[in-house]
Amino acid sequence: MTEKTPVGVQKSARQRNLLAVQRTHLAGERTFLAYLRTALAFAGVGLTLLKFFADEVFFVVLGWVFIPVGLLLAVVGFQRNRKAHEISKALCEQDPVESRELLGFTDDTEDE
């Protein structure tokens, strides 16, 4: 026998869900900024090696390796951020009470 969930519980569940999605979104932004910071550091080191060690072949090759690695990190960070944003948007649109039931977190107790 299914019972209706009280309105206060639904509102509380929706609020918890919204706050969890917002925390997840902010964590995703921090991760994206970490990717960009790391990408910028790699590209910066590569350019520095090219600028100051132009006469040494090892450092020139190393500099040319660091620059594409930095660009690749920026692209990967952007793609992961976009995917995480799509997931959080989908979660925000979903009803939290239905989500709990789909995941198996039901509060139904059997009367003995």
Side-chain angles (χ1 to χ4, degrees), residues 1 3 60 64 68 74 78-79 105 108 110:
M1 182 172 162
E3 297 179 18
V60 170
W64 281 111
F78 178 74
Q79 288 176 342
F105 298 118
D108 296 337
E110 295 181 21

Side-chain angles (χ1 to χ4, degrees), residues 46-61 64:
L47 290 173
T48 302
L49 289 174
L50 290 177
K51 174 74 176 173
F52 291 111
F53 300 103
D55 53 343
E56 297 185 33
V57 177
F58 174 74
F59 290 117
V60 170
V61 170
W64 281 111

